[in-house]
Amino acid sequence: MPTTPGTVLLSGIVGSTAYGFAHAGSDLDRLGLFAVPTEELHGLHRPAESQVTTEPDLTLHEAAKWCRLALSCNPTASELVWLPDELYETRTPLGEELIALRSTFLSAPAVRKAYLGYADQQFRKLLTRDTADPTARRRAAKHARHLVRLTEQAVRLHESGLNLIRLPDPERVRELGERIAARPATAEPLLAEAAERLSRPGVLPDAPDPHPAEAWLRRVRAAHYAP
């Protein structure tokens, strides 16, 4: 793993492996968050808030940035605190505390905006793919799978408050993705249904509660301060 400008508090395997889409030869994607030494936040120049590498595929966000992303219900960042236990590679006590706070980051408007926004991005990518080319067809099927995943995760979050990262029937999603890749218009009813269900009353609050995240972040800063 590349050198990290701080202490990794929580990390795990995400992406296709976490969703259940992985196959032989699939890339292994990792996501985590770290804390910089607190005194580095006191100077004129702030340290980098993210570190992204491709060999290996690894994204690390500084603790404060991860909290901001999670409070906006960013689907990619948020899944770090909803992973199955066996996919975590680093779980410090502060990381465990963050997992326990995961529901406080959720809000109905942010889930709708973030998840449907990402799903719509996947749909627009589908419309620009020339599926006659085998490589482009594989990319289109990947976009379609993620479109289905995002809409289903959004509805589940809205209606139950739970984010099940490991899909209960990934093969169904894979097959549906192939059909959508062949005929992108097939996705339009899925997007419309998800939008309609997300417009109904659900279990999520109208706004997240930032206070637990703020208190957690202050504990992180105290734990990593060495004057």
Side-chain angles (χ1 to χ4, degrees), residues 93-110:
L94 284 166
E96 295 282 2
E97 288 183 30
L98 192 63
I99 292 172
L101 298 176
R102 61 192 182 184
S103 293
T104 65
F105 290 92
L106 300 174
S107 64

Side-chain angles (χ1 to χ4, degrees), residues 17-49:
T17 300
Y19 309 139
F21 294 152
H23 55 78
S26 291
D27 292 333
L28 205 59
D29 300 312
R30 290 179 166 90
L31 174 67
L33 63 89
F34 65 95
V36 295
T38 301
E39 60 269 27
E40 291 189 14
L41 301 171
H42 297 166
L44 183 63
H45 301 290
R46 298 183 66 85
E49 289 196 302

Side-chain angles (χ1 to χ4, degrees), residues 4 11 14 34 39 41 43 49 54 64 95 119 148 159 176 180 186 211 221:
T4 304
S11 69
V14 295
F34 65 95
E39 60 269 27
L41 301 171
E49 289 196 302
T54 55
V148 175
E159 296 178 348
L176 182 55
I180 292 172
T186 308
H211 298 98
R221 299 308 185 212

Side-chain angles (χ1 to χ4, degrees), residues 61-131:
H61 296 303
E62 210 283 319
K65 179 176 182 179
W66 185 91
C67 287
R68 293 195 299 271
L69 290 170
L71 286 167
S72 69
C73 292
N74 177 284
T76 304
S78 296
E79 67 187 40
L80 179 62
V81 290
W82 294 92
L83 293 176
D85 287 345
E86 67 272 14
L87 292 184
Y88 284 108
E89 296 183 313
T90 304
R91 290 179 73 159
T92 65
L94 284 166
E96 295 282 2
E97 288 183 30
L98 192 63
I99 292 172
L101 298 176
R102 61 192 182 184
S103 293
T104 65
F105 290 92
L106 300 174
S107 64
V111 165
R112 178 186 174 92
K113 180 180 179 180
Y115 280 77
L116 288 190
Y118 272 60
D120 189 59
Q121 285 179 19
Q122 301 302 315
F123 181 63
R124 290 199 299 271
K125 289 177 182 178
L126 282 172
L127 298 177
T128 63
R129 293 287 180 187
D130 177 12
T131 54

Side-chain angles (χ1 to χ4, degrees), residues 147-177:
L147 183 155
V148 175
R149 170 184 65 81
L150 287 161
T151 56
E152 294 188 357
Q153 285 179 330
V155 169
R156 188 180 297 113
L157 268 169
H158 182 74
E159 296 178 348
S160 72
L162 299 174
N163 192 358
L164 301 181
I165 301 300
R166 178 70 50 77
L167 300 176
D169 190 357
E171 197 54 42
R172 175 189 61 82
V173 176
R174 186 184 298 279
E175 292 173 359
L176 182 55

